[in-house]
Amino acid sequence: MAVTAEDRTKVVFELFDVDHSGYLEESDFAAMSTRVEQVADGSSDDAKAALSASFGKWWTTVERELDVNRDGKVSYEEFTACVLSPEKFDDTVTDFADALSALGDPDGDGLIERPLFTALMLAIGFNPANVDALFDFFQPDGEDRITVRTWRDGIVEYYHPTKPDVAGNYLVP
């Protein structure tokens, strides 16, 4: 079965719904940010702040663009509209991709080692086998590292509905 943008959207919704309430709420984004920051102990405070800001922007954009009934929470049905309107999320996704991939490079050498990549992705909530498959798809170098740019671009592609064959498909169970 081919993975679609809708399949990826479902995974994202389930991950963002940290408390499993069936709705996305501001507290879900704050909780996810905290989880991810906790495993990035080698990253700078500035990098963690950028990630936190990107999660805040995610929530602000989701609420503004998708909370149709203005109840402060977004249902799955409301969330699927992001697939139909990716232009509303381009800046948000780019900020998130920049922040998350930078968090994976605490020494600033432009490379992300598998252990930190895995820790960050598991903190988000992805399945370990899927995370390993994605990292392998990115073709790590001989020291088991990928470039920051590779991961950043992979994140951006994941959220683009017109691109059916993206690396992030490995994250869909």
Side-chain angles (χ1 to χ4, degrees):
M1 175 180 113
V3 174
T4 65
E6 289 82 9
D7 296 329
R8 294 190 308 263
T9 300
K10 184 176 184 198
V11 169
V12 169
F13 182 87
E14 290 171 354
L15 294 172
F16 280 161
D17 183 16
V18 173
D19 66 4
H20 307 292
S21 67
Y23 295 94
L24 303 183
E25 300 169 90
E26 186 173 13
S27 60
D28 290 316
F29 289 79
M32 170 117 19
S33 180
T34 298
R35 282 192 336 212
V36 174
E37 289 172 46
Q38 286 175 341
V39 301
D41 55 344
S43 296
S44 71
D45 289 342
D46 287 345
K48 291 177 185 180
L51 182 77
S52 180
S54 76
F55 273 113
K57 185 174 182 177
W58 255 118
W59 169 247
T60 300
T61 305
V62 165
E63 183 180 40
R64 179 186 67 237
E65 299 294 340
L66 303 178
D67 186 8
V68 176
N69 61 2
R70 300 294 176 221
D71 63 355
K73 55 188 180 180
V74 175
S75 69
Y76 177 71
E77 291 73 26
E78 290 171 316
F79 188 71
T80 58
C82 72
V83 174
L84 304 174
S85 303
E87 68 282 353
K88 295 178 181 179
F89 294 87
D90 284 344
D91 289 342
T92 300
V93 168
T94 299
D95 287 353
F96 173 70
D98 289 342
L100 183 59
S101 59
L103 203 65
D105 182 24
D107 60 7
D109 66 356
L111 298 168
I112 299 169
E113 290 80 17
R114 185 184 298 259
L116 183 52
F117 176 89
T118 300
L120 293 168
M121 294 295 279
L122 294 179
I124 291 171
F126 288 107
N127 178 297
N130 296 86
V131 171
D132 282 340
L134 176 62
F135 195 86
D136 289 340
F137 178 82
F138 285 146
Q139 300 179 342
D141 67 13
E143 295 181 45
D144 212 21
R145 305 171 303 181
I146 60 171
T147 67
V148 170
R149 186 64 179 201
T150 296
W151 191 21
R152 180 231 179 255
D153 291 351
I155 295 167
V156 171
E157 282 184 340
Y158 185 90
Y159 290 96
H160 206 284
T162 62
K163 297 185 179 204
D165 190 23
V166 300
N169 287 349
Y170 283 97
L171 297 172
V172 177

